Every structure is written in C-alpha cells, then in structure tokens.
Amino acid sequence: MTRDVFAAASPELRAVYDAVDWASTSLGPVSTWSTSLRDVVDLMLHSHFPMTLLWGEDFVLVYNDAYAPMIGEKHPAALGATSQETFGEAWDQIGPMMQAVATTGQAHLVEDALVPLVRNGFLEDCYFTFSYSPVRGEDSQVEGVIDVVAETTRAVLGRRRLEVLARLAEALAGASTLDEVKRRSLRVFRGFDADVVDVELQLADATQADWSDEPHWEPPRPIYAGEVVTDSSADGREIIWVALEADAEERATSTLVMELNPRVLLDDDLVDFVRLTGSVVGRALGRARAEAIEREHADQERRLSETLQRSLLSQPAQPDGVRVAVRYVPAAEDAQVGGDWYDAFCLPSDDLCVVIGDVTGHDRDAAAGMAQLRNLVRGVAMTADGTPAEVLSSVEQAVEGLEIEVIATSIVARLQLIDDAHFRAATLRWSNAGHLPPVVIEPDGSVRILDRHPDPLVGIGAWERADHVETLAPGSAVVFFTDGLIERRGQSIDAGLAWLEQALSGQQHRDTDELCDLLIGHMPPDIDDDVALLVLKVQDSAA
C-alpha cells in the first residue's frame, strides 16, 4: 500500500495539497515521486519550523504549515508553482543562490537578508535568515533544495527603530529652544528613510519645519493627546499623525506627521514606534517651552534688577583738578545681576569721596542690599566728616543696629588736593574692607598695586579698621574695580592682577574715559560676574 505523503499536513494545508494538479508540474503525479522526495516531504510536514522544498530544475515549491503565513497572499497559489513564478520580484536575488546550491551541492546560509516580497498587496521590505541545503537522491545526485527559514523582519525593524529612538533622545537631551527641537529632530529623521520618507513637525505658535516641498498634511479628523491617526493620500501614500502637545481639552496643538516608506507594513509595531517618537519629541518640546518661560522670567528679573542698579549708579562728581570716569558692565546674559557699585561725590570739605563695593550674591536681594549700603556710606560720609576707616566702622555699626542682612567688600577713599601756584598733587586716604586693591598709574607710565593688608568685609561684625595714605603726583591715575574685571575661570586672582598691571602699563597718556574703555575692551564677552569700574586722574595745574 502506497504511503500517504501528505498525512502530516494540517487539514487546511492538506486540502490545498489535494487541489494541486501535481501531474502538470515537473514533479509529476505524487505516485511517481522518488523516495528521497517523499521522505523529505514527510520530514518537512512533521516540522513546526518554516520549511519549503525547491524541487527539480525549476525549483517547484512544496512547503509546510509554518511556511504558509510567511508568504502571505502568495499562498495557496505558491504550492506546486515554480520559485521564479512565485518570487519574481526577488528572483534576481534568490534564484542564483538556489542554482548554486543545486549545481555545487554546497549549502548556503544568509542572515537577516533583505528580500522584498509582494505578500500583502504591495512590495514590502522583508528580512529573513535562511539556509539552502541540497537534497540528494539514491544516486547521490542533487534532486532539489530544502529551504529552512526564519523571518527576522520584526527583529531587524525593532533594532533599527530602537536605534532611532536612542539617537532622537540623545539629540534632544540638550535642546533648549523650539528651533533646536525642530532642527535636531529632523536631522535624526533624515537618516531614517528606511521607514519614513518625509516628516513634518506641526508646532503650536511656531512655523512648520520639514525637508520637503510637498504641501503640508492635514489630519482627517481632530487628534487628541496620546493618539495616533493614519490616513491614505489620494495617490496611496500612508500618512501618520501623532499628538505631541495638547490643550486643556486634550486636543492636539502640535503634531508629528510622517509619510511612511511605501515598502514598510503599517502594523501595530510601527504605530507603537511612531507613538514613542512622538513621546520623545513631545517631552523635548515641553522642556523647551518651560525653559523659554524660565528665561523670560529671568530676563524680566534681570532687567528689573539692572534698571534698579543703574538707577543707583549716579554720575560721578567732577571737582576742579580731578577727572573721574565710571563704567558698569552686567554679567553675561545667562547670569543674574549682582551687587557691584561705584560712587564719587564731593564732601562738605570739598574733598572727593570715592567708593567701590560688591555685595555678595547675584539677584535682586544683592541689588537691594547694594542700594542700602550705598546710601549708608553716603549718609555717614556726608555727616560724620571722618576718615575712610571711621566711615566704614560707622557703616558697620549701622548695618548691625538696623539688622541689615548684607555682606560686602568695599573701599572708601578720600582724595584731598594739594594745590598752589606752582604744583598740584593729591593725598589719597583709603580703607579697605576685604576688597581688591586699587591700582595707580604713575606719570611715567609705571603701575603700582596699592596692596595693603585689607580689613574684614562689611557685615560680619565690628572691627578695628585702618587708614592708608598715598600721595599722588600730577598726572597720576587710580583705578578702582570689582572682581569681575579680572576674575577668569581657571585663573588665580594673582594672574588677574598681573593682567591688569600689564594692560595699564604705559597708558599714562590716556584720560579717564579712555582708560575705562581700554579695560572694558580687553574683557571677554561672556564674563560670569558684573563689573563696576571707577578711574580718577589728578590733573596738573596746566590741564
């Protein structure tokens, strides 16, 4: 009795086997099949792994139940048909492989190979790992080829899409503006044309950003938060939308729109991938908008503080025989305003009082503290008629008594002219509360740092303070400054003072405004701290 070759097939596949006119194929009637063909068909039908025989010179397909879903709509017509008829779209790729195995008798293994197939109504990018192995007859001649195959499309696309998500997240991690989010997102998507051929970011309150000249797509209906909507264009293109941002009613205000590669199947995996990309881009947009609000608030605070600070930095007095110039430079745009200040005013004795100071902190509190301290120094100096050390001591007592929470460095100086018909000089008396020392430019262009041991800062308690005295010849200039002028990242204060000495050396011919502009012009554009600068110059009697 003849063995039933197809007994191991499922009822559905068995019906297809029985419907095939095998006699019209190169295999001939089943009753004439060789022992090797019968044996390998029986082995294949008992296997749960996708397998097909490619038999004879025209490689007729004989496959098992596990193989049928893999070829989609090609089944059931593929059973008993030639490989070239069935896989015409991929024949130039797989045909030579089959022929080589049949000719040489050597097996051939391919991993994650891209094999485009028409199996769902369109040419689809499919990936397979498969092995073509020869099947020999009783005479050891190759009668056919057996194909053991595993589809890896989902794994390959999954790895590729995970890589895109990782690149997208990395690219957007530092994006702080809407424009950066758009540019960086599109840069990533441009390298991802295997799944997506065109992309739009349709953002609320922003222009659209894309890399095509195509008209902008409109969704077929409103889109809501967390939703993915698909539609087909008139020419058959698949378009997919995902919400990025939504209003209070959960209606999308910003969307990510993609035109899909026509060779990629729109399935649940792809929808999930698009939803994840939307989540990554949406979070980046949220961060960018939050940072924009923070920057706006910071700018408002900065403008308010800077306006307050500038309003308190009045024009310096210009007594006879002395010229005074001042400058104030706020810190870089991303930093806050500090508490630096200068002041120059005439005392009842006609002496010039000069003040430079820096309140600790970089915010409105520092600016407010600067205003209080400036007014205290002015009031004490104008009414007490004391030395600079006495003025600072009285200011310290007022700070403590009025419970003003402020800590500051400061120099208070008093300039008294010595003037007769033949000679003009000046006596500079000053007291230093933890501030950087002033610098003198001599009439011969040499530079000296008036480096005396400083007393403690203002605001840390009563302390015995000292006065220092220096006689200034006609043509001498004195530079008072706050630390922002010389402090640089990675450099010491000594290095900053050395730079200042070098910059001022030989500059005795410049007037006070020119000296200020010289120093400000040598500063880097992105300083971390604000700068207060005051330069005074003793004129000779002929000036």
Side-chain angles (χ1 to χ4, degrees):
M1 182 176 179
T2 304
R3 180 177 49 159
D4 184 357
V5 179
F6 309 132
S10 68
E12 294 78 12
L13 185 60
R14 174 59 189 261
V16 178
Y17 267 103
D18 291 342
V20 173
D21 181 9
W22 294 104
S24 63
T25 71
S26 61
L27 274 62
V30 175
S31 60
T32 65
W33 288 6
S34 66
T35 301
S36 57
L37 176 55
R38 288 172 172 271
D39 288 344
V40 75
V41 168
D42 181 68
L43 173 67
M44 177 187 66
L45 291 176
H46 277 89
S47 175
H48 295 291
F49 203 85
M51 302 170 66
T52 184
L53 293 176
L54 311 166
W55 206 259
E57 295 182 357
D58 50 0
F59 303 110
V60 174
L61 281 97
V62 183
Y63 49 82
N64 63 4
D65 283 276
Y67 185 85
M70 193 178 298
I71 60 175
E73 63 189 24
K74 292 182 181 295
H75 176 73
L79 192 65
T82 67
S83 294
Q84 187 171 5
E85 292 172 342
T86 304
F87 301 115
E89 68 274 24
W91 185 248
D92 289 344
Q93 177 183 0
I94 63 176
M97 296 182 191
M98 296 180 192
Q99 190 63 54
V101 174
T103 302
T104 66
Q106 300 295 317
H108 185 75
L109 174 66
V110 180
E111 295 181 289
D112 293 333
L114 171 60
V115 183
L117 294 180
V118 178
R119 59 178 185 175
N120 290 299
F122 66 96
L123 186 62
E124 177 186 349
D125 284 349
C126 306
Y127 294 85
F128 301 94
T129 292
F130 58 91
S131 174
Y132 287 161
S133 302
V135 179
R136 302 179 184 275
E138 294 178 353
D139 57 359
S140 297
Q141 296 299 309
V142 176
E143 294 186 10
V145 174
I146 187 169
D147 176 16
V148 180
V149 58
E151 181 169 2
T152 58
T153 302
R154 187 177 187 187
V156 171
L157 296 185
R159 289 194 299 270
R160 187 168 73 199
R161 291 164 184 170
L162 283 175
E163 181 180 357
V164 171
L165 286 170
R167 290 182 180 178
L168 188 62
E170 181 180 7
L172 297 180
S176 59
T177 67
L178 294 181
D179 183 65
E180 285 183 342
V181 172
K182 290 187 291 187
R183 287 190 293 102
R184 296 184 185 191
S185 296
L186 294 180
R187 189 182 304 128
V188 172
F189 288 128
R190 283 190 182 101
F192 183 50
D193 57 0
D195 277 7
V196 176
V197 297
D198 205 354
V199 170
E200 280 184 6
L201 287 177
Q202 298 177 341
L203 305 184
D205 304 322
T207 57
Q208 293 176 339
D210 60 63
W211 73 74
S212 75
D213 295 322
E214 295 293 321
H216 299 308
W217 299 297
E218 293 294 334
R221 61 173 178 80
I223 304 173
Y224 292 88
E227 189 175 29
V228 175
V229 173
T230 62
D231 194 24
S232 297
S233 63
D235 56 0
R237 294 180 296 175
E238 290 288 344
I239 312 298
I240 190 165
W241 290 261
V242 60
L244 301 177
E245 299 175 299
D247 58 21
E249 297 178 352
E250 296 294 305
R251 184 165 178 165
T253 55
S254 298
T255 54
L256 173 64
V257 191
M258 297 181 176
E259 178 188 345
L260 302 181
N261 186 329
R263 291 171 53 155
V264 174
L265 181 65
L266 177 55
D267 58 7
D268 290 343
D269 287 346
L270 182 53
V271 170
D272 288 343
F273 164 72
V274 172
R275 182 179 285 109
L276 287 172
T277 60
S279 177
V280 173
V281 177
R283 288 198 300 271
L285 289 174
R287 290 194 301 269
R289 292 191 190 278
E291 289 189 28
I293 293 173
E294 289 178 4
R295 285 193 297 271
E296 182 178 354
H297 289 168
D299 287 344
Q300 291 174 350
E301 180 177 300
R302 175 186 175 82
R303 287 193 296 270
L304 177 62
S305 298
E306 189 174 328
T307 299
L308 170 63
Q309 191 158 19
R310 288 190 183 278
S311 70
L312 295 170
L313 299 177
S314 55
Q315 289 297 312
Q318 302 286 353
D320 291 341
V322 180
R323 286 293 174 265
V324 182
V326 293
R327 296 290 187 274
Y328 172 73
V329 181
E333 185 175 353
D334 58 347
Q336 293 179 301
V337 172
D340 294 24
W341 90 95
Y342 55 74
D343 204 357
F345 53 94
C346 289
L347 298 170
S349 63
D350 291 332
D351 292 347
L352 178 68
C353 184
V354 172
V355 184
I356 193 84
D358 184 1
V359 173
T360 58
H362 294 84
D363 51 25
R364 284 186 296 178
D365 291 340
M370 176 270 289
Q372 291 178 296
L373 202 55
R374 171 187 176 274
N375 291 335
L376 278 176
V377 173
R378 273 198 160 211
V380 171
M382 289 295 291
T383 58
D385 192 29
T387 68
E390 290 170 342
V391 170
L392 281 174
S393 295
S394 296
V395 168
E396 182 68 58
Q397 291 175 5
V399 167
E400 184 176 356
L402 295 173
E403 298 182 349
I404 300 174
E405 294 184 0
V406 65
I407 296 177
T409 66
S410 181
I411 292 177
V412 174
R414 185 167 183 162
L415 185 73
Q416 182 180 24
L417 288 180
I418 305 171
D419 199 357
D420 60 35
H422 305 288
F423 181 77
R424 172 179 291 160
T427 299
L428 180 70
R429 187 182 303 272
W430 78 97
S431 184
N432 188 337
H435 200 80
L436 290 170
V439 177
V440 173
I441 308 173
E442 301 284 9
D444 63 359
S446 61
V447 176
R448 288 188 298 119
I449 297 176
L450 300 182
D451 193 6
R452 307 291 190 271
H453 181 70
D455 297 326
L457 282 66
V458 175
I460 63 173
W463 202 271
E464 184 176 349
R465 298 186 179 275
D467 285 307
H468 311 284
V469 181
E470 185 78 18
T471 300
L472 302 176
S476 299
V478 186
V479 178
F480 299 87
F481 57 94
T482 56
D483 53 4
L485 180 68
I486 65 169
E487 282 189 344
R488 303 292 181 267
R489 291 180 183 177
Q491 291 186 356
S492 66
I493 291 294
D494 288 341
L497 288 172
W499 166 83
L500 183 60
E501 284 187 274
Q502 183 179 6
L504 294 175
S505 180
Q507 304 299 324
Q508 72 276 12
H509 61 284
R510 296 180 183 269
D511 63 25
T512 54
D513 280 307
E514 290 173 340
L515 287 170
C516 285
D517 292 340
L518 172 71
L519 294 177
I520 297 301
H522 279 76
M523 291 170 50
D526 55 346
I527 58 174
D528 295 327
D529 199 0
D530 48 353
V531 175
L533 176 63
L534 184 150
V535 179
L536 66 83
K537 190 167 188 177
V538 180
Q539 297 180 297
D540 59 37
S541 52

